[in-house]
Amino acid sequence: MNFLSISALYAFLAVIGYSDLVFADDDDEILIGCGSAIKLTHVESGGKHYLNSAGMSLGSGSGQQIVTAIPDRTQGSALWIIKESALSKEPCLSGAKLTCGSKIRLTHKTTNRNLHSHPIRSPLSNQQEVSAFGDNGEGDEGDDWIILCKKNSNKYLQRGERIYLQHAGTKKFLGASNQVKFSQSNCGHRCPVLNHLEVFARAKSDQMTEWFIDVGIFLSQ
């Protein structure tokens, strides 16, 4: 499959809502390279919530674009593109292997903003805020995250294996919890993110900060 067809698939899948399409057999060991389009699955919530963003702003804190975890894997708003770090002088090669410890950006496919964090309190749990930031995929070094593989034996990012994403600037870990959810009582009767989990960054790596990737268009050389 050539890279022009991959670009066309990204556009097509965004239109149809991006269902569970994976270019591999379920039993295959699949490496996930740079340029892959992925959905990040959250562990502590039972593997039923996915990192998500939408074209709306946080009502507090930085006021940047909101990032949540949603209980619907079919939504195109849960699709992210893996890119090189903000400080990298060259774009990464499509399909280049990502070693555990690699520094990356995650660009939201629908809005073209980057997963971001900074020392501002999150709205529900008062941990560190996570947002989506930048224009046309261009942001700043607050968009950089480090891939940490839970298994020491793993060398590369691969499908189905648990990982942590550590914010490069603040050293905190991307997380969510089934116990920290937007509701009518904390978000209002017309809450646009009702029943979404708050996504935050926290000081320690634990079950709240475990994620894995099992759905996506995986590029690998």
Side-chain angles (χ1 to χ4, degrees), residues 53 58 62-67 80 114-118 129-133 143 145 199:
S53 190
L58 288 159
S62 68
Q64 293 175 1
Q65 183 171 299
I66 194 166
V67 172
W80 301 80
N114 300 319
L115 187 69
H116 181 91
S117 193
H118 42 222
E129 181 185 278
V130 171
S131 63
F133 174 74
D143 305 338
W145 299 83
V199 171

Side-chain angles (χ1 to χ4, degrees), residues 179-220:
Q179 305 303 312
V180 187
K181 185 179 295 187
F182 289 96
S183 64
Q184 289 186 347
S185 63
N186 62 33
C187 185
H189 291 287
R190 296 184 179 180
C191 180
V193 290
L194 188 65
N195 296 322
H196 292 205
L197 305 185
E198 181 191 64
V199 171
F200 46 71
R202 63 192 266 111
K204 63 180 181 178
S205 58
D206 55 18
Q207 194 176 28
M208 290 184 192
T209 64
E210 285 184 32
W211 304 81
F212 64 90
I213 303 163
D214 67 346
V215 176
I217 304 173
F218 304 139
L219 307 184
S220 183

Side-chain angles (χ1 to χ4, degrees), residues 21 40 56 66 75 86 98 102 175 198:
L21 179 61
L40 272 166
M56 64 184 77
I66 194 166
Q75 292 298 311
L98 294 167
S102 292
E198 181 191 64

Side-chain angles (χ1 to χ4, degrees), residues 71-83:
D72 185 354
R73 73 188 296 175
T74 68
Q75 292 298 311
S77 57
L79 188 63
W80 301 80
I81 311 300
I82 304 175
K83 294 184 177 180

